[in-house]
Amino acid sequence: MRFLLTDEQREFGRSLDALLTAADTPAVLRAWAAGDHGPGRALWGRLADAGVFALAVPEAYGGVGPLPVEAAVACVELGRHAVPGPVAETLAAGVLLAGAGGPVAEEWLPAIASGAAVVSLTLEGYGRHAPDADAADAVFTVTGDELRLAPGPGEPSASADPARRLFRPEPGGAPVAKGPAIRAAARAAGDTAAFATAALALGCGEELLRATVAYVKQRTQFGVPVGSFQAVKHRLADTLLGLEFARPLLYGAAVELASEVSRPGAGAGSGEGSPGAGAAVAAAKVTAGEAGYAAARTALQLHGAAGYTEELDLAWWLRRARPLRDAWGTPSVCRARVLAG
């Protein structure tokens, strides 16, 4: 079994990094938080052209997936650059609709793969709020064995991340699919959402650490950079260890998910899941989420009062770390799932 990324996978990550570096994502974040989704949708289209959203859509519907390892590579980069929008939810919707099959899959999956559709969703057991529902072309909800298309985004709720607005979808909406396959597809979609969120959290933590290291090299006290102080070095080293420990768990979960897809009888659109894959995803989610949040605490402490300022781009990553830690499975929920698995 390979535990290293291939040259092609690493090049994929580098190409996304270059694309997002040129996109000025802090400006896109500010516009998104202010309700202007135009720059974010334009960036979404460029990411789709790079193949990001096709990674969760089966080939039969215009995608190239499911490819969990490549999805992890992509989401880490999107987390590093704090790309706005329901990234994890759209990827999870690809798995959900593929498992549902029928007309709803034929209508929406090609649009998801091409970037023409931004999708949010809610699933039983993961709360009732849909991120960025106001910017989504569709909000899907699953209750029991029924899949519904919400009639509207609903009322907004408070969110710690202004560029990740939360909505409670309007109730009702005619069922677009129902049956035992929906329940199984929802389980697989929940795993995908948690997995993608873990990768986003890891990328967010990496950028927070990078920015903090750069800052402590420049900030001086007593005529020397504060980064030369032993206590600062230890804090940064602990943060790095947390992130590096999360990385193999994330890619281990990707291998589990890929194995689940390829096992006999599963198929790309089966929507089935396994306890082993779910436990691996939960382990990755709790570890990456906690590591990203620890990186945010370190960044805030070592930046001092500058870390609180609205003008500093770092604030967007600081506000994102905790919501990513808690979305699609809080640490306590994930730990319980690991023990049960």
Side-chain angles (χ1 to χ4, degrees), residues 151-228:
E155 291 296 319
S157 299
S159 174
D161 181 358
R164 187 177 183 273
R165 301 180 65 195
L166 299 176
F167 293 80
R168 189 163 184 170
E170 292 180 7
V176 293
K178 61 173 60 177
I182 300 302
R183 197 180 295 270
R187 288 196 298 269
D191 285 346
T192 299
F195 171 71
T197 303
L200 292 168
L202 177 60
C204 179
E206 287 181 348
E207 176 57 21
L208 285 164
L209 178 60
R210 184 208 63 78
T212 306
V213 169
Y215 182 75
V216 298
K217 289 179 179 179
Q218 298 173 358
R219 180 184 174 188
T220 60
Q221 281 186 348
F222 311 112
V224 296
V226 298
S228 64

Side-chain angles (χ1 to χ4, degrees), residues 102-339:
V104 66
E106 295 171 359
E107 178 182 0
W108 287 100
L109 286 178
I112 289 174
S114 67
V118 175
V119 176
S120 192
L121 81 162
T122 65
L123 301 173
E124 273 189 315
Y126 291 98
R128 298 182 179 180
H129 291 95
D132 298 306
D134 60 331
D137 299 293
V139 179
F140 291 100
T141 64
V142 175
T143 304
D145 60 0
E146 287 190 343
L147 171 63
R148 295 175 181 265
L149 182 60
E155 291 296 319
S157 299
S159 174
D161 181 358
R164 187 177 183 273
R165 301 180 65 195
L166 299 176
F167 293 80
R168 189 163 184 170
E170 292 180 7
V176 293
K178 61 173 60 177
I182 300 302
R183 197 180 295 270
R187 288 196 298 269
D191 285 346
T192 299
F195 171 71
T197 303
L200 292 168
L202 177 60
C204 179
E206 287 181 348
E207 176 57 21
L208 285 164
L209 178 60
R210 184 208 63 78
T212 306
V213 169
Y215 182 75
V216 298
K217 289 179 179 179
Q218 298 173 358
R219 180 184 174 188
T220 60
Q221 281 186 348
F222 311 112
V224 296
V226 298
S228 64
F229 299 160
Q230 195 76 356
V232 172
K233 291 180 179 180
H234 285 172
R235 185 67 184 267
L236 292 171
D238 289 343
T239 302
L240 176 62
L241 283 174
L243 294 168
E244 289 302 312
F245 184 71
R247 192 183 315 279
L249 290 178
L250 176 68
Y251 287 107
V255 171
E256 287 283 350
L257 289 172
S259 299
E260 180 64 18
V261 170
S262 63
R263 70 178 174 82
S270 69
E272 296 179 5
S274 74
V281 168
K285 175 64 172 58
V286 66
T287 309
E290 294 280 35
Y293 183 48
R297 296 200 305 271
T298 296
L300 186 57
Q301 179 183 19
L302 297 184
H303 276 80
Y308 287 97
T309 61
E310 289 285 342
E311 292 78 11
L312 192 68
D313 290 341
L314 181 81
W316 295 100
W317 280 260
L318 288 173
R319 291 172 172 179
R320 181 152 293 200
R322 183 164 183 171
L324 287 175
R325 184 197 71 171
D326 295 338
W328 294 104
T330 63
S332 60
V333 168
C334 290
R335 289 189 178 98
R337 192 174 186 190
V338 171
L339 291 174

Side-chain angles (χ1 to χ4, degrees), residues 19-30 43 80-84 317:
L19 184 159
L20 293 168
T21 299
D24 188 16
T25 53
V28 177
L29 279 163
R30 286 183 168 87
L43 178 57
R80 284 184 59 232
H81 291 273
V83 171
W317 280 260

